Amino acid sequence: MGCNRNCGLITGAVIGAVLAVFGGILMPVGDMLIEKTIKKEVALEEGTTAYKNWVTTGTEVYRQFWIFDVQNPDEVAINSSNVKLKQRGPYTYRVRYLAKDNITQDPLTNTVSFVQPNGAIFEPSLSVGSENDTFTILNLAVAAAPHLYPNAFVQVLLNSLIKKSKSSMFQRRTVKELLWGYKDPFLSLVPYPIATTVGVFFPYNNTADGVYQVFNGKDDISKVGIINTYKGERTLGYWSDYCDLINGTDAATFPPFVEKTRVLEFFSSDICRSIYAVFAEELNLKGINVYRFVLPPKAFASPVQNPDNHCFCTDREISNNCTFFGVLDISKCKEGKPVILSLPHLLHASPEIAETVEGLNPNEEEHKTYLDVEPITGFTLRFAKRLQVNILVKPAKKIDALKGLKRNYIVPILWLNETGTIGTEKAEMFKSQVTGKINLLGTVEMVLLSVGVVMFVAFMISYCACRSKTAK
């Protein structure tokens, strides 16, 4: 009887030890299986999970616009007063709904090339009004004239055309005209061939961004999604030194196994440069663990604050000898038009820049840009891209509409919030196909290890107790 009991206890201990060892072995083996599966599924080739969601985005993406309505146009033009602004919006459009086009795999370089067609569909139910709502905004053509044509004689000729067209420093335009383009009356009178349609995002519909060539990850998963060339080049031609390089991905996906210490680099044609995001916090998105990465203020800091940004300072006069921060002059990217980008409401910008405008209320939570990235796959499951379009306006003695100004202005035109979040159905699919299996494997590993250790310890204690009792 005593032998049977001891044998049973020893058997139980052995079974527990086997379970614990099996659970321990399953951990590295399971990790290897996970890594192998992820490497296969995130490659950009037909048949993978990543490819399906890469060709056509798996989320609905919306771009919201807030227009800055100028309240005192005459005071500004005549007396050089501060520009008083009132924010109107949102006016919402669905974007990025078109599939990537001209997709071509190159097996020799393990890259895939494509273009991203552009399209925007107005969403009345998500907007405060219609596309025909009208606002008082800066006259884009008049404001740009002295920048594009600095010669005094040419400005005299342009001034006569501006007056003949009855144009002024400010104008009334609808949302649709401001965003997507309108025939400018002043430019229509210019006696030689120039583009006469003006709009903040003109042209957009029926155009395409690219050609992009990105690594597909078949030979090296750590390079998947990283841009090799843009429009056939590895540099942009807008900036000097390393600022001109095209770095990282397009932010829709990143190489897998993202760590909190990683700096996520990505390129955005909207801002004509590469930029980066750093880890901020860990969140739960519809049952999926994600890392939130945000654009740090350092990314738009002045060269004085961040010497790495020295090559983004292209005009010492505009930037107050490269000391202004929080703004980006992209005029070289816009054919000389005086376009200045910033975060909405001049968030993290030099206080001096906002001294000429009233009505801005920067808010970190509402106006920051962020990416919520699933760390195992590197997929971006939620994002908010927020930026503001401003125009630099200078006094011009030869142009009547601008000669009343006594200082430079950086005039906000609008700000946008482009957002996308993985849908509930897609989130459930993602959990069942990716994170669910990984979590299940992890649970099995821990259960086997825990149960095995408990069984081994319990049976060994019982065996020792029985031996001790028998000895007495």
Side-chain angles (χ1 to χ4, degrees):
M1 185 72 178
C3 178
N4 289 341
R5 181 188 301 166
N6 289 343
C7 289
L9 292 173
I10 291 173
T11 302
V14 170
I15 292 171
V18 170
L19 289 174
V21 171
F22 186 66
I25 292 173
L26 194 59
M27 284 184 174
V29 173
D31 290 345
M32 288 173 59
L33 290 172
I34 291 169
E35 186 174 343
K36 186 177 180 181
T37 302
I38 293 299
K39 284 182 177 180
K40 180 182 176 183
E41 289 301 316
V42 301
L44 297 176
E45 60 177 334
E46 286 194 52
T48 66
T49 303
Y51 188 81
K52 295 172 191 173
N53 290 292
W54 176 78
V55 173
T56 305
T57 180
T59 64
E60 290 191 348
V61 180
Y62 294 98
R63 185 177 281 192
Q64 299 172 299
F65 295 98
W66 281 265
I67 315 298
F68 288 110
D69 191 17
V70 178
Q71 305 297 296
N72 60 335
D74 294 337
E75 291 177 23
V76 177
I78 297 170
N79 303 321
S80 196
S81 303
N82 284 354
V83 183
K84 294 180 180 178
L85 304 170
K86 195 164 187 179
Q87 174 181 283
R88 309 282 191 183
Y91 294 89
T92 306
Y93 292 79
R94 188 179 173 199
V95 295
R96 299 191 184 278
Y97 55 88
L98 296 170
K100 290 178 173 63
D101 201 6
N102 296 340
I103 299 173
T104 306
Q105 295 278 358
D106 185 347
L108 294 178
T109 59
N110 288 301
T111 59
V112 55
S113 60
F114 66 94
V115 295
Q116 179 63 64
N118 293 320
I121 301 173
F122 186 61
E123 297 284 350
S125 63
L126 301 176
S127 305
V128 296
S130 78
E131 286 186 292
N132 295 319
D133 287 356
T134 306
F135 304 105
T136 299
I137 58 162
L138 188 70
N139 190 315
L140 304 179
V142 171
H147 295 269
L148 296 172
Y149 305 100
N151 182 275
F153 177 71
V154 175
Q155 287 187 16
V156 170
L157 296 177
L158 293 178
N159 183 54
S160 65
L161 298 179
I162 291 170
K163 291 196 293 184
K164 187 176 180 180
S165 66
K166 297 181 180 179
S167 299
S168 58
M169 181 178 174
F170 295 95
Q171 61 180 337
R172 297 283 291 175
R173 289 291 170 189
T174 66
V175 173
K176 188 174 182 179
E177 288 175 326
L178 173 63
L179 296 178
W180 314 120
Y182 58 90
K183 203 84 165 174
D184 186 83
F186 150 51
L187 297 178
S188 298
L189 296 178
V190 176
Y192 53 87
I194 61 167
T196 57
T197 302
V198 179
V200 176
F201 296 97
F202 175 82
Y204 188 79
N205 284 313
N206 301 316
T207 65
D209 185 22
V211 175
Y212 288 88
Q213 185 190 67
V214 305
F215 292 103
N216 59 24
K218 287 183 70 175
D219 64 326
D220 184 356
I221 204 65
S222 67
K223 294 167 67 177
V224 67
I226 291 176
I227 300 169
N228 183 39
T229 62
Y230 175 67
K231 295 183 177 180
E233 303 289 341
R234 294 186 178 180
T235 56
L236 296 166
Y238 307 137
W239 317 101
S240 63
D241 208 354
Y242 51 81
C243 291
D244 205 45
L245 295 174
I246 299 165
N247 299 320
T249 72
D250 64 356
T253 183
F254 295 92
F257 312 113
V258 177
E259 297 180 353
K260 295 176 182 178
T261 54
R262 190 195 293 184
V263 175
L264 299 185
E265 293 184 308
F266 57 97
F267 167 71
S268 172
S269 60
D270 287 337
I271 64 172
C272 309
R273 62 166 284 190
S274 300
I275 201 163
Y276 59 91
V278 296
F279 175 79
E281 59 182 320
E282 194 169 339
L283 300 169
N284 185 286
L285 173 61
K286 300 184 179 181
I288 304 170
N289 183 57
V290 295
Y291 292 170
R292 172 161 291 184
F293 286 79
V294 301
L295 259 62
K298 187 178 178 183
F300 286 113
S302 71
V304 176
Q305 301 165 314
N306 180 11
D308 289 342
N309 286 349
H310 74 90
C311 37
F312 288 119
C313 179
T314 56
D315 189 317
R316 288 186 171 273
E317 180 190 351
I318 295 170
S319 63
N320 193 26
N321 202 27
C322 295
T323 60
F324 281 171
F325 53 87
V327 291
L328 181 68
D329 176 7
I330 62 166
S331 55
K332 284 189 177 181
C333 174
K334 299 299 180 183
E335 301 173 320
K337 300 178 185 73
V339 181
I340 307 289
L341 295 185
S342 69
L343 292 177
H345 287 248
L346 296 176
L347 177 68
H348 301 315
S350 298
E352 302 96 313
I353 296 172
E355 286 179 356
T356 58
V357 296
E358 299 175 16
L360 300 181
N361 298 289
N363 180 288
E364 179 75 31
E365 197 58 37
E366 291 182 17
H367 301 145
K368 69 181 178 184
T369 290
Y370 64 81
L371 305 164
D372 289 346
V373 179
E374 197 286 310
I376 297 172
T377 60
F379 296 165
T380 300
L381 302 185
R382 177 171 60 189
F383 71 92
K385 179 175 72 177
R386 292 153 175 168
L387 61 89
Q388 180 169 301
V389 177
N390 312 275
I391 299 293
L392 173 66
V393 185
K394 286 182 174 183
K397 293 180 180 179
K398 302 297 181 182
I399 297 177
D400 291 351
L402 302 174
K403 71 179 183 181
L405 302 181
K406 297 178 176 63
R407 50 187 172 163
N408 292 344
Y409 289 78
I410 292 180
V411 181
I413 305 300
L414 58 83
W415 72 274
L416 66 86
N417 176 31
E418 184 172 305
T419 58
T421 305
I422 188 171
T424 302
E425 187 178 333
K426 288 276 186 180
E428 292 301 320
M429 188 184 302
F430 186 86
K431 284 189 286 185
S432 65
Q433 293 181 356
V434 183
T435 56
K437 292 179 180 178
I438 293 170
N439 292 336
L440 178 61
L441 182 59
T443 302
V444 170
E445 292 170 355
M446 291 307 299
V447 168
L448 287 175
L449 187 61
S450 301
V451 170
V453 169
V454 170
M455 284 181 65
F456 178 77
V457 172
F459 280 113
M460 284 304 296
I461 290 173
S462 298
Y463 173 73
C464 291
C466 286
R467 285 291 300 270
S468 175
K469 189 173 181 183
T470 303
K472 289 180 181 179

